[in-house]
Amino acid sequence: MPREVRILKIEQYGSETCELPPSSSFVLVRVPVRIVGEGAKGEATFHYSIGPFVGRETTLALRADLQTTLRFRVPLELFRPRERFAVEVHASGYAGPEKVLWTKRWEVAWQGKAPSLEPIAD
């Protein structure tokens, strides 16, 4: 009898943070995630998008019980109020179409001179 193939899942385990370092033209965004479930070790890729701009893809190791932080450098000129910011993690190395493992969307906000992200209900 064939065994059911299981895949690891990704979930956010803390609050995302945004930081505008002094004299910088980039907003630093950090999203803490953990990988849960049972499955074979593998790789995934992740990227962000803000408005029509899509950031570069980065590799993420998939391993059960791994906690890590997804980090992004977003050009300041793109980090405008009410702009949509999204993160997607895709499984790679599987036969067939690429599988989306996790996605999250926020709306950019500014509190004075501090950048932040407000969650968007899906």
Side-chain angles (χ1 to χ4, degrees):
M1 185 173 212
R3 230 177 97 186
E4 179 183 328
V5 175
R6 296 181 185 191
I7 193 159
L8 298 167
K9 295 180 184 175
I10 298 174
E11 59 186 33
Q12 188 173 345
Y13 75 92
S15 297
E16 64 282 341
T17 60
C18 299
E19 177 187 354
L20 179 59
S23 304
S24 177
S25 59
F26 292 93
V27 174
L28 304 179
V29 178
R30 294 177 186 92
V31 181
V33 296
R34 72 174 147 229
I35 300 165
V36 296
E38 297 176 13
K41 291 181 182 179
E43 284 190 344
T45 58
F46 66 93
H47 69 272
Y48 76 90
S49 61
I50 186 162
F53 180 83
V54 177
R56 68 180 176 89
E57 288 198 344
T58 304
T59 302
L60 172 67
L62 291 179
R63 190 174 70 239
D65 301 322
L66 175 70
Q67 292 186 2
T68 190
T69 301
L70 307 180
R71 293 173 171 82
F72 309 99
R73 288 181 61 216
V74 182
L76 181 58
E77 65 269 14
L78 299 177
F79 216 81
R80 296 182 292 266
R82 301 182 53 95
E83 195 70 70
R84 300 294 172 112
F85 180 84
V87 174
E88 286 190 346
V89 179
H90 298 263
S92 54
Y94 293 94
E98 194 171 61
K99 180 177 174 89
V100 176
L101 296 178
W102 184 76
T103 187
K104 181 94 182 239
R105 292 173 181 78
W106 297 268
E107 186 174 88
V108 171
W110 285 84
Q111 298 170 4
K113 294 185 179 186
S116 65
L117 294 171
E118 300 294 330
I120 296 174
D122 286 330

